[in-house]
Amino acid sequence: MKRQLVALLDKAIRASVATGFLPEAAPPFIEVELTKEPGHGDYASNVAMVLASQVGKNPREIAGVLAEKIDDAEGVLERVEIAGPGFMNFFIREGVLIRYLEEVIRQGDSYGSSELGKGGQVQVEFVSANPTGPLHIGHARGAVVGDVIANILAAVGYRVFREYYINDAGNQMNNLGKSVFLRYRELLGETEEFTDGCYRGDYIRDLAAELLKRDGERYRHMAPGEVIPLLTAYAGNAILDGIKEDLRAFGVVFDLYFRESELYREDGVGRLLQTLQEKGFVYRREEALWFRTTAFGDEKDRVVIRKNGDPTYFAADIAYHRNKFLRGVETVIDVWGADHHGYIPRMSAAVQALGYDKEALKVILVQLVNLLREGKPVAMSTRSGEFVTLREVVDEVGKDAARYNFLMRRSDSHLDFDLELAKRQSNENPVYYVQYAHARICSIIRMAAERGIGMPACGQADLGLLKLPEEVDLIKTITRFPEVVEGAARTLEPHRLTFYLNDLASIFHSYYNKNKVISDDGALTAARLFLVRSVLAVLKNALKMLGVSAPEKM
RNA sequence: GCGCCCAUGGCUCAGCUGGAUAGAGCGUCAGACUACGAAUCUGAAUGUCGGAGGUUCGAAUCCUCCUGGGCGCGCCA
């Protein structure tokens, strides 16, 4: 509906340009929105005012001319009013909105989707936690945000790849192997000193015990330089398997787990450095190799090859990003913890140095999660091993509640996650509010079927009977869905979907409490069943994008 | 010290590239099931949008400064 109005306005503006009323160079962003006040019609636009400031004419005059020029061939509009400083208020002709419901039902599972992305390739990299320990609650938020962004982009017509980057080649991995080794020796009766970089979680002990059971004492007297790489690989793989499993239980599945070590094996890092060298972006200083990121706005240059000859994490990461683009990805979306924000300028510099558009890399920062239980903070630290794992959260509060809770705020704002609240099946937990609406509608449809009332097909119900303000409100909200998805895709803001869902559920619940869907009036029952079924379709499609189930009974 | 993010009712947050009287949820108070599921609904109260300037017909939204919080500033990842 909104799109139709935008199209009408666009045509009207072009017609005005043709008559010379408006100058050529006026390509405004046409905004049309639902009104809050019935007196302002159904939809309103501020284009006239935007144009006014551009061309220096009276906004009301412009609005008048545009209204005049609107060519409403399909007869959508009842009338257009000019109001206030120059708003154009659109009054939709009765019955027009209602027909939209048939479109919703016709589209079914694909209602809300579009082809805006035109099949463009997008890669979303998220989680990417080092396999040095199980995923914890902090990773969970990033996992959901990345996953749902991917879903949303897919819904608007992009080809989306989900990827997890594994830093399996650095210092931290070495510490992991060392930690397992120390625990292993401990099990054999040795007393060991744990240094700062070591991991002390129980899972390290478990891995050591398993190792001992499997391989016996064979590592006991091997030199650390020999044994640690072996144990690093062993522990890294075991932990990664666990991570994959936990993610699956959380509803997150990746297309590819990309190993940093892969880059070295294929000499991706070497070729990258050569490329940068050829472009003149690297130089040597104090025995290290530096990348001139300041050429693209970073505050200082960054080392890519250390004094000791080892490439830095950054060097590998650039090679990885280059690899993404070489594979044909047009837009790369990285989901990072907000504490990595300082890393953005250098990564952006890297992408630009490689010759890609600055806009080709988008970074989503996800703020940390404050984990609470009954309002009290739960202490967390990976090193010490005191943390609540993703798996524990999923097991305790359930996938649906966990995911939904993580999507209720903008990614870049802090989020309190209260375990008790999240698992409480009450009105304090919004996920059930939405799911309940879905289950309720299913229940109505079941009830109708029991009474021998079938679901009307398109054209079988007299939708003109849907005249109540609440019904119109419900229909308007349904028509908003594709716009919400589109907006969420444009801004990469999944939380818009949860807010929308709450809105829709709320309007539905209210309607339900006031009006009977199934009544003695057969025609009205059919019309309302049709309406309610449309709501159901939207709830279902939206929940699917969030990776939250849509139960038929609760 | 420099840089990035944030500041909206008692609490937690929305506010859709500047729009009409700033909205939800929770909490509080008062109500609604012999009617399709009360995990629901109805009603009430609560705001100098951190502060001060500026741009604009119009600012929670954009600019500057200030205050108060979070994070970052490694040849760590």
Side-chain angles (χ1 to χ4, degrees), chain A residues 438-497:
Chain A
H438 185 272
R440 221 175 199 182
I441 295 172
C442 290
S443 172
I444 295 169
I445 293 171
R446 274 195 304 271
M447 182 63 67
E450 273 171 31
R451 298 189 191 172
I453 307 165
M455 179 58 69
C458 285
Q460 281 185 348
D462 178 8
L463 299 179
L465 297 171
L466 302 173
K467 282 184 175 151
L468 296 174
E470 305 98 274
E471 288 166 338
V472 175
D473 202 12
L474 210 40
I475 295 167
K476 279 184 183 171
T477 305
I478 289 170
T479 69
R480 267 176 56 208
F481 181 51
E483 297 152 21
V484 171
V485 175
E486 194 183 318
R490 193 183 65 243
T491 56
L492 305 174
E493 291 178 348
H495 74 278
R496 293 192 186 198
L497 283 174

Short mmCIF file of all heavy atoms in Angstrom, two decimals, chain A residues 438-497:
data_model
loop_
_atom_site.label_atom_id
_atom_site.label_comp_id
_atom_site.label_asym_id
_atom_site.label_seq_id
_atom_site.Cartn_x
_atom_site.Cartn_y
_atom_site.Cartn_z
N HIS A 438 -0.17 -16.64 18.17
CA HIS A 438 -0.14 -17.65 17.11
C HIS A 438 -0.95 -18.88 17.51
O HIS A 438 -1.81 -19.36 16.75
CB HIS A 438 1.31 -18.03 16.80
CG HIS A 438 1.45 -18.97 15.65
ND1 HIS A 438 1.41 -20.34 15.81
CD2 HIS A 438 1.62 -18.75 14.33
CE1 HIS A 438 1.54 -20.91 14.63
NE2 HIS A 438 1.68 -19.97 13.71
N ALA A 439 -0.70 -19.36 18.71
CA ALA A 439 -1.40 -20.55 19.19
C ALA A 439 -2.91 -20.29 19.29
O ALA A 439 -3.73 -21.16 18.97
CB ALA A 439 -0.85 -20.96 20.55
N ARG A 440 -3.24 -19.09 19.69
CA ARG A 440 -4.64 -18.73 19.84
C ARG A 440 -5.37 -18.80 18.50
O ARG A 440 -6.49 -19.30 18.41
CB ARG A 440 -4.71 -17.31 20.39
CG ARG A 440 -5.76 -17.12 21.42
CD ARG A 440 -5.68 -15.73 22.00
NE ARG A 440 -6.37 -15.70 23.28
CZ ARG A 440 -6.51 -14.61 24.02
NH1 ARG A 440 -5.97 -13.47 23.61
NH2 ARG A 440 -7.15 -14.66 25.15
N ILE A 441 -4.74 -18.26 17.50
CA ILE A 441 -5.37 -18.28 16.18
C ILE A 441 -5.51 -19.72 15.68
O ILE A 441 -6.55 -20.10 15.13
CB ILE A 441 -4.57 -17.43 15.17
CG1 ILE A 441 -4.61 -15.96 15.61
CG2 ILE A 441 -5.13 -17.58 13.76
CD1 ILE A 441 -3.70 -15.06 14.83
N CYS A 442 -4.49 -20.50 15.92
CA CYS A 442 -4.58 -21.91 15.54
C CYS A 442 -5.76 -22.57 16.24
O CYS A 442 -6.49 -23.38 15.65
CB CYS A 442 -3.29 -22.66 15.90
SG CYS A 442 -1.90 -22.20 14.87
N SER A 443 -5.93 -22.18 17.49
CA SER A 443 -7.02 -22.74 18.27
C SER A 443 -8.38 -22.34 17.70
O SER A 443 -9.31 -23.15 17.64
CB SER A 443 -6.87 -22.26 19.71
OG SER A 443 -8.00 -22.63 20.46
N ILE A 444 -8.47 -21.09 17.28
CA ILE A 444 -9.72 -20.62 16.69
C ILE A 444 -10.03 -21.42 15.43
O ILE A 444 -11.17 -21.86 15.21
CB ILE A 444 -9.63 -19.13 16.31
CG1 ILE A 444 -9.45 -18.26 17.56
CG2 ILE A 444 -10.86 -18.69 15.53
CD1 ILE A 444 -9.09 -16.82 17.25
N ILE A 445 -9.02 -21.61 14.63
CA ILE A 445 -9.21 -22.32 13.37
C ILE A 445 -9.61 -23.78 13.64
O ILE A 445 -10.50 -24.33 12.97
CB ILE A 445 -7.94 -22.22 12.50
CG1 ILE A 445 -7.74 -20.76 12.06
CG2 ILE A 445 -8.04 -23.14 11.27
CD1 ILE A 445 -6.43 -20.47 11.38
N ARG A 446 -9.00 -24.37 14.66
CA ARG A 446 -9.38 -25.74 15.04
C ARG A 446 -10.83 -25.79 15.48
O ARG A 446 -11.61 -26.67 15.08
CB ARG A 446 -8.50 -26.22 16.20
CG ARG A 446 -7.18 -26.83 15.82
CD ARG A 446 -6.56 -27.60 16.98
NE ARG A 446 -6.38 -26.81 18.19
CZ ARG A 446 -5.30 -26.08 18.46
NH1 ARG A 446 -4.29 -26.06 17.60
NH2 ARG A 446 -5.20 -25.39 19.56
N MET A 447 -11.18 -24.79 16.31
CA MET A 447 -12.54 -24.73 16.81
C MET A 447 -13.55 -24.60 15.66
O MET A 447 -14.59 -25.27 15.65
CB MET A 447 -12.66 -23.54 17.77
CG MET A 447 -14.01 -23.37 18.41
SD MET A 447 -14.47 -24.77 19.44
CE MET A 447 -13.27 -24.62 20.77
N ALA A 448 -13.21 -23.76 14.73
CA ALA A 448 -14.10 -23.57 13.58
C ALA A 448 -14.27 -24.88 12.82
O ALA A 448 -15.39 -25.27 12.45
CB ALA A 448 -13.53 -22.50 12.65
N ALA A 449 -13.17 -25.56 12.63
CA ALA A 449 -13.21 -26.83 11.91
C ALA A 449 -14.10 -27.83 12.63
O ALA A 449 -14.90 -28.54 12.01
CB ALA A 449 -11.80 -27.37 11.73
N GLU A 450 -13.99 -27.85 13.97
CA GLU A 450 -14.82 -28.77 14.76
C GLU A 450 -16.30 -28.49 14.56
O GLU A 450 -17.12 -29.38 14.62
CB GLU A 450 -14.49 -28.62 16.25
CG GLU A 450 -13.33 -29.48 16.71
CD GLU A 450 -12.90 -29.14 18.12
OE1 GLU A 450 -13.78 -28.74 18.93
OE2 GLU A 450 -11.69 -29.25 18.42
N ARG A 451 -16.59 -27.22 14.36
CA ARG A 451 -18.00 -26.86 14.15
C ARG A 451 -18.37 -26.92 12.67
O ARG A 451 -19.42 -26.42 12.27
CB ARG A 451 -18.27 -25.46 14.68
CG ARG A 451 -18.02 -25.35 16.16
CD ARG A 451 -18.49 -24.02 16.69
NE ARG A 451 -18.01 -23.83 18.06
CZ ARG A 451 -18.15 -22.71 18.73
NH1 ARG A 451 -18.74 -21.67 18.16
NH2 ARG A 451 -17.70 -22.61 19.96
N GLY A 452 -17.50 -27.49 11.90
CA GLY A 452 -17.80 -27.67 10.49
C GLY A 452 -17.65 -26.43 9.63
O GLY A 452 -18.18 -26.34 8.53
N ILE A 453 -16.91 -25.43 10.18
CA ILE A 453 -16.70 -24.21 9.39
C ILE A 453 -15.31 -24.27 8.79
O ILE A 453 -14.31 -24.27 9.50
CB ILE A 453 -16.81 -22.95 10.27
CG1 ILE A 453 -18.14 -22.98 11.04
CG2 ILE A 453 -16.67 -21.69 9.42
CD1 ILE A 453 -18.19 -21.98 12.18
N GLY A 454 -15.24 -24.35 7.51
CA GLY A 454 -13.94 -24.42 6.85
C GLY A 454 -13.33 -23.06 6.68
O GLY A 454 -13.98 -22.03 6.86
N MET A 455 -12.05 -23.06 6.33
CA MET A 455 -11.37 -21.80 6.08
C MET A 455 -11.73 -21.34 4.68
O MET A 455 -11.53 -22.07 3.71
CB MET A 455 -9.86 -22.01 6.20
CG MET A 455 -9.03 -20.78 5.93
SD MET A 455 -9.44 -19.39 7.01
CE MET A 455 -8.82 -20.00 8.58
N PRO A 456 -12.26 -20.13 4.55
CA PRO A 456 -12.63 -19.65 3.22
C PRO A 456 -11.39 -19.43 2.35
O PRO A 456 -10.37 -18.97 2.83
CB PRO A 456 -13.34 -18.33 3.50
CG PRO A 456 -12.89 -17.92 4.84
CD PRO A 456 -12.57 -19.16 5.60
N ALA A 457 -11.53 -19.76 1.08
CA ALA A 457 -10.43 -19.49 0.15
C ALA A 457 -10.56 -18.04 -0.32
O ALA A 457 -11.53 -17.36 -0.02
CB ALA A 457 -10.50 -20.44 -1.03
N CYS A 458 -9.55 -17.60 -1.06
CA CYS A 458 -9.60 -16.25 -1.61
C CYS A 458 -10.86 -16.06 -2.44
O CYS A 458 -11.20 -16.91 -3.25
CB CYS A 458 -8.36 -15.98 -2.48
SG CYS A 458 -6.90 -15.69 -1.51
N GLY A 459 -11.54 -14.97 -2.21
CA GLY A 459 -12.73 -14.68 -2.98
C GLY A 459 -14.00 -15.27 -2.39
O GLY A 459 -15.10 -14.92 -2.80
N GLN A 460 -13.84 -16.16 -1.40
CA GLN A 460 -15.03 -16.80 -0.83
C GLN A 460 -15.63 -16.03 0.33
O GLN A 460 -16.78 -16.25 0.69
CB GLN A 460 -14.68 -18.21 -0.35
CG GLN A 460 -14.62 -19.22 -1.49
CD GLN A 460 -14.39 -20.62 -0.97
OE1 GLN A 460 -14.06 -20.82 0.19
NE2 GLN A 460 -14.56 -21.60 -1.84
N ALA A 461 -14.82 -15.18 0.93
CA ALA A 461 -15.34 -14.43 2.07
C ALA A 461 -15.63 -13.00 1.64
O ALA A 461 -14.91 -12.42 0.84
CB ALA A 461 -14.32 -14.44 3.20
N ASP A 462 -16.70 -12.46 2.19
CA ASP A 462 -17.03 -11.06 1.90
C ASP A 462 -16.25 -10.17 2.87
O ASP A 462 -16.71 -9.86 3.96
CB ASP A 462 -18.54 -10.84 2.07
CG ASP A 462 -18.90 -9.38 1.82
OD1 ASP A 462 -18.01 -8.61 1.37
OD2 ASP A 462 -20.06 -9.02 2.10
N LEU A 463 -15.06 -9.79 2.44
CA LEU A 463 -14.17 -9.05 3.34
C LEU A 463 -14.69 -7.64 3.62
O LEU A 463 -14.25 -6.98 4.55
CB LEU A 463 -12.76 -8.99 2.74
CG LEU A 463 -12.12 -10.38 2.54
CD1 LEU A 463 -10.74 -10.24 1.91
CD2 LEU A 463 -12.01 -11.14 3.85
N GLY A 464 -15.63 -7.22 2.82
CA GLY A 464 -16.22 -5.90 3.05
C GLY A 464 -16.89 -5.80 4.41
O GLY A 464 -17.17 -4.71 4.90
N LEU A 465 -17.12 -6.93 5.04
CA LEU A 465 -17.75 -6.93 6.36
C LEU A 465 -16.78 -6.52 7.46
O LEU A 465 -17.17 -6.28 8.60
CB LEU A 465 -18.31 -8.33 6.67
CG LEU A 465 -19.42 -8.79 5.71
CD1 LEU A 465 -19.77 -10.25 5.96
CD2 LEU A 465 -20.65 -7.91 5.89
N LEU A 466 -15.51 -6.47 7.11
CA LEU A 466 -14.51 -6.09 8.12
C LEU A 466 -14.43 -4.58 8.20
O LEU A 466 -13.62 -3.94 7.57
CB LEU A 466 -13.13 -6.68 7.75
CG LEU A 466 -13.09 -8.20 7.61
CD1 LEU A 466 -11.74 -8.66 7.07
CD2 LEU A 466 -13.38 -8.88 8.95
N LYS A 467 -15.30 -4.02 9.03
CA LYS A 467 -15.42 -2.56 9.05
C LYS A 467 -15.02 -1.94 10.38
O LYS A 467 -14.92 -0.71 10.50
CB LYS A 467 -16.86 -2.17 8.76
CG LYS A 467 -17.18 -2.27 7.29
CD LYS A 467 -18.58 -1.80 7.02
CE LYS A 467 -18.84 -1.78 5.52
NZ LYS A 467 -20.25 -2.01 5.23
N LEU A 468 -14.83 -2.76 11.39
CA LEU A 468 -14.49 -2.21 12.70
C LEU A 468 -13.14 -1.51 12.64
O LEU A 468 -12.25 -1.94 11.90
CB LEU A 468 -14.42 -3.33 13.75
CG LEU A 468 -15.72 -4.07 14.03
CD1 LEU A 468 -15.45 -5.23 14.97
CD2 LEU A 468 -16.75 -3.11 14.62
N PRO A 469 -12.98 -0.45 13.43
CA PRO A 469 -11.68 0.23 13.47
C PRO A 469 -10.55 -0.72 13.83
O PRO A 469 -9.46 -0.62 13.28
CB PRO A 469 -11.87 1.27 14.58
CG PRO A 469 -13.32 1.43 14.77
CD PRO A 469 -14.00 0.20 14.27
N GLU A 470 -10.81 -1.66 14.72
CA GLU A 470 -9.76 -2.61 15.11
C GLU A 470 -9.38 -3.49 13.93
O GLU A 470 -8.24 -3.92 13.81
CB GLU A 470 -10.21 -3.53 16.25
CG GLU A 470 -10.69 -2.83 17.48
CD GLU A 470 -12.21 -2.76 17.48
OE1 GLU A 470 -12.74 -1.80 16.89
OE2 GLU A 470 -12.86 -3.64 18.05
N GLU A 471 -10.38 -3.78 13.10
CA GLU A 471 -10.08 -4.63 11.95
C GLU A 471 -9.25 -3.88 10.92
O GLU A 471 -8.29 -4.42 10.37
CB GLU A 471 -11.40 -5.13 11.34
CG GLU A 471 -12.04 -6.19 12.24
CD GLU A 471 -13.49 -6.49 11.90
OE1 GLU A 471 -14.17 -5.64 11.27
OE2 GLU A 471 -13.95 -7.58 12.28
N VAL A 472 -9.57 -2.64 10.72
CA VAL A 472 -8.79 -1.83 9.79
C VAL A 472 -7.36 -1.67 10.32
O VAL A 472 -6.38 -1.77 9.58
CB VAL A 472 -9.44 -0.43 9.60
CG1 VAL A 472 -8.57 0.46 8.74
CG2 VAL A 472 -10.83 -0.60 8.97
N ASP A 473 -7.28 -1.47 11.62
CA ASP A 473 -5.98 -1.33 12.27
C ASP A 473 -5.13 -2.58 12.06
O ASP A 473 -3.95 -2.53 11.73
CB ASP A 473 -6.23 -1.10 13.77
CG ASP A 473 -5.06 -0.43 14.44
OD1 ASP A 473 -4.18 0.07 13.72
OD2 ASP A 473 -5.03 -0.41 15.68
N LEU A 474 -5.79 -3.71 12.26
CA LEU A 474 -5.11 -5.00 12.10
C LEU A 474 -4.63 -5.15 10.65
O LEU A 474 -3.49 -5.56 10.40
CB LEU A 474 -6.10 -6.11 12.46
CG LEU A 474 -5.61 -7.43 13.05
CD1 LEU A 474 -4.49 -7.22 14.06
CD2 LEU A 474 -6.78 -8.14 13.72
N ILE A 475 -5.47 -4.79 9.73
CA ILE A 475 -5.10 -4.93 8.32
C ILE A 475 -3.94 -4.01 7.97
O ILE A 475 -2.98 -4.41 7.31
CB ILE A 475 -6.31 -4.63 7.40
CG1 ILE A 475 -7.40 -5.68 7.61
CG2 ILE A 475 -5.88 -4.61 5.93
CD1 ILE A 475 -8.74 -5.31 7.02
N LYS A 476 -4.00 -2.79 8.47
CA LYS A 476 -2.90 -1.85 8.20
C LYS A 476 -1.59 -2.39 8.76
O LYS A 476 -0.53 -2.26 8.13
CB LYS A 476 -3.19 -0.50 8.83
CG LYS A 476 -4.12 0.37 8.04
CD LYS A 476 -4.25 1.73 8.72
CE LYS A 476 -5.24 2.62 8.00
NZ LYS A 476 -5.52 3.84 8.78
N THR A 477 -1.68 -2.97 9.92
CA THR A 477 -0.47 -3.52 10.53
C THR A 477 0.07 -4.67 9.69
O THR A 477 1.28 -4.82 9.51
CB THR A 477 -0.75 -3.98 11.97
OG1 THR A 477 -1.30 -2.87 12.70
CG2 THR A 477 0.52 -4.42 12.66
N ILE A 478 -0.84 -5.47 9.18
CA ILE A 478 -0.41 -6.57 8.32
C ILE A 478 0.29 -6.04 7.07
O ILE A 478 1.30 -6.58 6.64
CB ILE A 478 -1.64 -7.43 7.92
CG1 ILE A 478 -2.12 -8.22 9.14
CG2 ILE A 478 -1.30 -8.38 6.77
CD1 ILE A 478 -3.45 -8.91 8.93
N THR A 479 -0.25 -4.96 6.52
CA THR A 479 0.36 -4.42 5.30
C THR A 479 1.76 -3.86 5.57
O THR A 479 2.57 -3.73 4.68
CB THR A 479 -0.47 -3.27 4.67
OG1 THR A 479 -0.41 -2.13 5.53
CG2 THR A 479 -1.90 -3.68 4.44
N ARG A 480 2.02 -3.53 6.82
CA ARG A 480 3.33 -2.96 7.16
C ARG A 480 4.45 -4.00 7.13
O ARG A 480 5.62 -3.63 7.05
CB ARG A 480 3.28 -2.37 8.58
CG ARG A 480 2.93 -0.91 8.64
CD ARG A 480 2.81 -0.48 10.10
NE ARG A 480 4.03 -0.78 10.85
CZ ARG A 480 4.09 -1.01 12.15
NH1 ARG A 480 2.98 -0.99 12.86
NH2 ARG A 480 5.23 -1.26 12.75
N PHE A 481 4.07 -5.26 7.26
CA PHE A 481 5.11 -6.28 7.45
C PHE A 481 6.25 -6.24 6.43
O PHE A 481 7.42 -6.19 6.80
CB PHE A 481 4.47 -7.67 7.53
CG PHE A 481 5.45 -8.77 7.76
CD1 PHE A 481 6.37 -8.70 8.80
CD2 PHE A 481 5.47 -9.89 6.93
CE1 PHE A 481 7.30 -9.73 9.01
CE2 PHE A 481 6.39 -10.91 7.13
CZ PHE A 481 7.31 -10.83 8.17
N PRO A 482 5.94 -6.23 5.14
CA PRO A 482 7.06 -6.21 4.17
C PRO A 482 7.94 -4.97 4.33
O PRO A 482 9.15 -5.03 4.12
CB PRO A 482 6.35 -6.17 2.81
CG PRO A 482 4.98 -6.69 3.07
CD PRO A 482 4.64 -6.27 4.45
N GLU A 483 7.34 -3.86 4.73
CA GLU A 483 8.12 -2.64 4.94
C GLU A 483 9.04 -2.78 6.14
O GLU A 483 10.17 -2.28 6.14
CB GLU A 483 7.20 -1.44 5.18
CG GLU A 483 6.30 -1.14 4.00
CD GLU A 483 5.00 -0.48 4.42
OE1 GLU A 483 4.94 0.09 5.53
OE2 GLU A 483 4.02 -0.57 3.65
N VAL A 484 8.54 -3.46 7.16
CA VAL A 484 9.36 -3.65 8.36
C VAL A 484 10.56 -4.53 8.02
O VAL A 484 11.70 -4.25 8.41
CB VAL A 484 8.53 -4.29 9.49
CG1 VAL A 484 9.41 -4.70 10.65
CG2 VAL A 484 7.46 -3.33 9.96
N VAL A 485 10.30 -5.58 7.27
CA VAL A 485 11.39 -6.49 6.88
C VAL A 485 12.41 -5.72 6.05
O VAL A 485 13.63 -5.82 6.27
CB VAL A 485 10.85 -7.68 6.07
CG1 VAL A 485 12.00 -8.56 5.57
CG2 VAL A 485 9.90 -8.51 6.93
N GLU A 486 11.90 -4.93 5.14
CA GLU A 486 12.78 -4.15 4.29
C GLU A 486 13.62 -3.17 5.11
O GLU A 486 14.82 -3.04 4.89
CB GLU A 486 11.89 -3.39 3.31
CG GLU A 486 12.60 -2.77 2.15
CD GLU A 486 11.61 -1.97 1.30
OE1 GLU A 486 10.47 -2.46 1.08
OE2 GLU A 486 11.97 -0.87 0.89
N GLY A 487 12.97 -2.52 6.06
CA GLY A 487 13.69 -1.57 6.92
C GLY A 487 14.75 -2.28 7.75
O GLY A 487 15.86 -1.77 7.92
N ALA A 488 14.39 -3.44 8.27
CA ALA A 488 15.34 -4.20 9.08
C ALA A 488 16.54 -4.62 8.23
O ALA A 488 17.68 -4.63 8.69
CB ALA A 488 14.65 -5.43 9.68
N ALA A 489 16.27 -4.93 6.97
CA ALA A 489 17.35 -5.33 6.07
C ALA A 489 18.24 -4.15 5.72
O ALA A 489 19.46 -4.25 5.70
CB ALA A 489 16.76 -5.94 4.80
N ARG A 490 17.62 -3.02 5.48
CA ARG A 490 18.38 -1.84 5.09
C ARG A 490 19.30 -1.38 6.21
O ARG A 490 20.44 -1.03 6.00
CB ARG A 490 17.40 -0.72 4.72
CG ARG A 490 18.05 0.46 4.00
CD ARG A 490 17.06 1.58 3.73
NE ARG A 490 16.57 2.16 4.95
CZ ARG A 490 15.32 2.14 5.36
NH1 ARG A 490 14.40 1.58 4.64
NH2 ARG A 490 14.97 2.70 6.51
N THR A 491 18.78 -1.42 7.43
CA THR A 491 19.55 -0.90 8.56
C THR A 491 20.29 -2.01 9.31
O THR A 491 21.04 -1.72 10.23
CB THR A 491 18.60 -0.22 9.56
OG1 THR A 491 17.59 -1.16 9.93
CG2 THR A 491 17.94 0.99 8.93
N LEU A 492 20.05 -3.24 8.92
CA LEU A 492 20.63 -4.39 9.61
C LEU A 492 20.25 -4.37 11.09
O LEU A 492 21.10 -4.55 11.97
CB LEU A 492 22.15 -4.43 9.41
CG LEU A 492 22.61 -4.42 7.95
CD1 LEU A 492 24.12 -4.31 7.85
CD2 LEU A 492 22.12 -5.68 7.23
N GLU A 493 18.96 -4.12 11.33
CA GLU A 493 18.47 -4.04 12.70
C GLU A 493 17.36 -5.05 12.96
O GLU A 493 16.17 -4.74 12.78
CB GLU A 493 17.96 -2.62 12.99
CG GLU A 493 19.07 -1.60 13.04
CD GLU A 493 18.55 -0.19 13.29
OE1 GLU A 493 17.33 0.04 13.21
OE2 GLU A 493 19.38 0.69 13.57
N PRO A 494 17.74 -6.22 13.41
CA PRO A 494 16.73 -7.28 13.61
C PRO A 494 15.69 -6.94 14.67
O PRO A 494 14.59 -7.46 14.62
CB PRO A 494 17.55 -8.49 14.08
CG PRO A 494 18.98 -8.13 13.96
CD PRO A 494 19.10 -6.66 13.70
N HIS A 495 16.04 -6.07 15.61
CA HIS A 495 15.09 -5.80 16.70
C HIS A 495 13.80 -5.18 16.17
O HIS A 495 12.77 -5.23 16.84
CB HIS A 495 15.70 -4.89 17.75
CG HIS A 495 15.82 -3.46 17.32
ND1 HIS A 495 16.86 -3.00 16.55
CD2 HIS A 495 15.00 -2.40 17.53
CE1 HIS A 495 16.68 -1.70 16.34
NE2 HIS A 495 15.57 -1.31 16.90
N ARG A 496 13.85 -4.63 14.98
CA ARG A 496 12.62 -4.05 14.43
C ARG A 496 11.54 -5.11 14.28
O ARG A 496 10.35 -4.81 14.37
CB ARG A 496 12.89 -3.42 13.08
CG ARG A 496 13.78 -2.22 13.17
CD ARG A 496 13.77 -1.49 11.85
NE ARG A 496 14.72 -0.40 11.84
CZ ARG A 496 14.67 0.58 10.97
NH1 ARG A 496 13.71 0.59 10.06
NH2 ARG A 496 15.55 1.55 11.00
N LEU A 497 11.95 -6.32 14.02
CA LEU A 497 10.98 -7.39 13.85
C LEU A 497 10.30 -7.75 15.17
O LEU A 497 9.11 -8.01 15.19
CB LEU A 497 11.66 -8.64 13.27
CG LEU A 497 11.94 -8.57 11.77
CD1 LEU A 497 12.74 -9.80 11.33
CD2 LEU A 497 10.65 -8.51 10.98
#
